Amino acid sequence: MNKILKDFIIKSKIMSGYHTPFTPGWDCHGLPIELQVEKKYGKGKFKDNPNAFVAACREFARKQIEKQKADFIRLGVFADWDNPYTSMDKEVEAGIVKSLSKIIDNNHVYFGSKPVHWCIESSSALAEAEVEYKDIVSKAVCVKFRITSSNELTFTKNINHKARISIPIWTTTPWTLPANRAVAISKDIDYSLVQVDRDYLIIAKKLVGSVMEKAGISGFKVVEESIKSEMSAVMLEHPFYDIKVPVIFAEHVTDENGTGAVHIAPGHGTEDYLAGLEHDLEVYNPVDDYGRFKESLPIFGGMKVRESNEEIVSLLNKNEALLFSEDYEHSYPHCWRYKTPLIFRATPQWFMSMDKSALRKSIKDDIKNINWLPSWGEDRIFNMIEGRPIGVYQDKDFGVYQFLYFYTKKQMNYILIRVLF
């Protein structure tokens, strides 16, 4: 249907007296082809021979092109079928490398570690366009982070200095707790000090009632209100590791649900990552390419993250750090190929910055000089460029050869490197 509708346009213009040559083309690079080859031969066959893997991918693409071409000709589609182009043509690949070198020369490329959508099944990062969202039910937990010392906090002056004071956080991803490096609150939210038996909890004023209800607690008392000015100096105990984490202020924290406090794992989320950069937190990612906790991680090393939630909840309960847990339905990112839930994990990668060398400004200026048809296309593209994330980069200079060498080591984009050398 797609090809026939396009052919209508070509033929109508030919019949109107226009010269309308159509050169067919095929995009031959990408994960779908690699997945089909791995499916046919197995993942292990090309483990130590990337040249053979590239050759198998090229052969798979060539056969698909011939099949599609034959079908299009049978449909009567007008095109220069004897002279098509493909993205795996040497001339096209050389042009890609040449363009890449210009991008690097213009100082748009940087190397950093940043959380990305990660598909466990393909062991690959996904672009935003490859992500689809589905509703799932997650095991959400409310976890208490105990304040290490409350002696210097004025709002605790009227309570027993031996009392346990905690800041509870609420999360739908318990598996990210091993990577916790802070707890975030908001400067725009009022917090209350709530007494529960001999313990105390710091909760957003607006959410005290709902938190107590979910925890099944009826006997509680609000001791202090509007506390937060001193919170930035507070240190907390991790709920199951022998480490201390700070309380920080972050703009993405709200009192719409949860507790008004958010656990921060810079290695497992974009907002957490940005908050971590602002407060100089470690970007810690204990999860490997295959969705398992690294063997070096205490307690949970070697465990699959998708199977770890129950173990983590059990440990929280054992450590008296679990306030409550609940089943929570929400929208969650999935891989568009495998239809499986994704994870966020920080990986060292190359990025193109929109702001390091004023690329965003240059594009926005050029958009204004284009005659858009339809006219609403201008606003759509302008808003897309305007809203692209701001690149946070390490200020390092990497030449084109170093750049490509890095990818050679990772056995990625191998075809482009072979063309260059």
Side-chain angles (χ1 to χ4, degrees):
M1 177 63 72
N2 177 293
K3 185 62 68 175
I4 290 174
L5 290 176
K6 291 178 179 178
D7 190 49
F8 285 173
I9 306 298
I10 300 294
K11 286 176 178 172
S12 69
K13 290 299 180 181
I14 292 175
M15 294 172 71
S16 299
Y18 290 93
H19 178 57
T20 55
F22 173 52
T23 302
W26 280 268
D27 177 9
C28 307
H29 294 99
L31 190 60
I33 288 178
E34 295 174 11
L35 293 176
Q36 289 299 322
V37 172
E38 287 183 347
K39 184 178 179 180
K40 180 178 180 179
Y41 295 103
K43 283 191 174 184
K45 181 176 178 62
F46 304 108
K47 185 176 181 181
D48 300 316
N49 193 347
N51 277 329
F53 182 60
V54 169
C57 288
R58 294 179 74 91
E59 179 61 17
F60 178 87
R62 187 192 64 78
K63 289 182 178 179
Q64 293 300 314
I65 290 171
E66 292 304 317
K67 289 180 180 179
Q68 292 179 20
K69 186 193 297 185
D71 287 343
F72 293 150
I73 292 172
R74 287 190 66 223
L75 288 171
V77 174
F78 281 13
D80 186 3
W81 296 114
D82 293 328
N83 298 289
Y85 75 90
T86 75
S87 66
M88 64 181 181
D89 294 341
K90 297 299 184 181
E91 296 79 8
V92 177
E93 291 183 335
I96 294 172
V97 174
K98 186 176 181 180
S99 298
L100 177 61
S101 68
K102 288 182 179 179
I103 293 171
I104 296 171
D105 285 342
N106 290 334
N107 204 29
H108 295 310
V109 173
Y110 68 93
F111 182 67
S113 179
K114 180 180 178 182
V116 293
H117 286 109
W118 189 267
C119 175
I120 294 174
E121 281 67 28
S122 63
S123 301
S124 175
L126 270 66
E128 285 291 339
E130 299 173 302
V131 177
E132 58 185 27
Y133 287 82
K134 298 180 182 179
D135 288 340
I136 64 170
V137 176
S138 296
K139 177 64 71 176
V141 292
C142 189
V143 183
K144 294 183 288 186
F145 281 71
R146 184 178 176 182
I147 294 178
T148 57
S149 176
S150 59
N151 295 337
E152 299 177 359
L153 301 175
T154 58
F155 61 81
T156 65
K157 61 182 181 296
N158 295 324
I159 66 176
N160 188 329
H161 70 280
K162 293 184 179 180
R164 294 184 299 184
I165 305 174
S166 303
I167 300 179
I169 63 90
W170 182 84
T171 179
T172 59
T173 53
W175 65 268
T176 62
L177 286 169
N180 173 273
R181 288 300 179 266
V183 168
I185 61 174
S186 172
K187 293 180 179 179
D188 300 321
I189 297 175
D190 288 327
Y191 293 86
S192 299
L193 181 64
V194 182
Q195 182 178 4
V196 180
D197 296 328
R198 290 177 294 179
D199 294 340
Y200 294 83
L201 303 172
I202 297 174
I203 303 170
K205 182 179 178 180
K206 177 181 173 182
L207 296 169
V208 170
S210 65
V211 172
M212 293 296 102
E213 181 180 355
K214 290 180 180 180
I217 298 172
S218 56
F220 65 91
K221 178 182 178 183
V222 177
V223 179
E224 293 282 346
E225 291 186 339
S226 300
I227 59 172
K228 65 186 170 189
S229 58
E230 303 169 273
M231 296 302 294
S232 60
V234 169
M235 295 297 292
L236 307 171
E237 294 178 1
H238 191 282
F240 47 77
Y241 288 141
D242 186 21
I243 60 173
K244 293 179 175 59
V245 299
V247 174
I248 63 173
F249 289 113
E251 294 182 359
H252 69 279
V253 180
T254 71
D255 57 1
E256 295 300 315
N257 54 28
T259 66
V262 176
H263 114 81
I264 299 295
H268 290 310
T270 301
E271 292 173 327
D272 293 29
Y273 171 74
L274 294 174
L277 288 177
E278 183 179 350
H279 295 277
D280 197 27
L281 302 177
E282 177 189 11
V283 182
Y284 178 55
N285 167 36
V287 180
D288 68 16
D289 291 356
Y290 307 102
R292 292 180 179 272
F293 287 120
K294 296 174 182 176
E295 293 291 344
S296 58
L297 180 72
I299 306 175
F300 306 107
M303 187 178 296
K304 295 179 180 179
V305 295
R306 288 178 180 159
E307 299 174 0
S308 66
N309 282 345
E310 288 189 10
E311 295 289 334
I312 291 174
V313 171
S314 176
L315 182 58
L316 292 170
N317 209 19
K318 178 182 177 182
N319 291 350
E320 298 182 351
L322 183 66
L323 188 59
F324 67 85
S325 64
E326 61 177 335
D327 291 332
Y328 182 74
E329 184 176 355
H330 61 119
S331 180
Y332 192 82
H334 285 64
C335 175
W336 73 288
R337 296 185 184 92
Y338 285 93
K339 312 301 180 184
T340 51
L342 301 173
I343 62 173
F344 275 99
R345 63 185 292 266
T347 58
Q349 296 179 62
W350 293 93
F351 299 92
M352 202 163 89
S353 172
M354 295 294 290
D355 299 288
K356 185 179 180 183
S357 296
L359 180 60
R360 190 193 308 270
K361 181 180 183 303
S362 174
I363 295 175
K364 286 163 61 177
D365 290 343
D366 287 340
I367 287 173
K368 299 173 184 176
N369 298 323
I370 295 172
N371 182 26
W372 293 88
L373 188 69
S375 58
W376 52 259
E378 179 174 355
D379 288 337
R380 181 178 178 182
I381 299 298
F382 186 91
N383 292 334
M384 184 184 76
I385 297 300
E386 179 76 20
R388 293 303 300 169
I390 297 175
V392 183
Y393 54 87
Q394 299 174 14
D395 192 16
K396 296 180 180 178
D397 292 322
F398 289 89
V400 64
Y401 295 102
Q402 290 169 295
F403 179 87
L404 293 173
Y405 177 73
F406 173 84
Y407 275 105
T408 307
K409 294 289 284 185
K410 291 288 185 181
Q411 297 183 359
M412 297 168 65
N413 288 355
Y414 196 87
I415 300 174
L416 304 187
I417 299 161
R418 201 170 57 177
V419 170
L420 183 65
F421 294 106

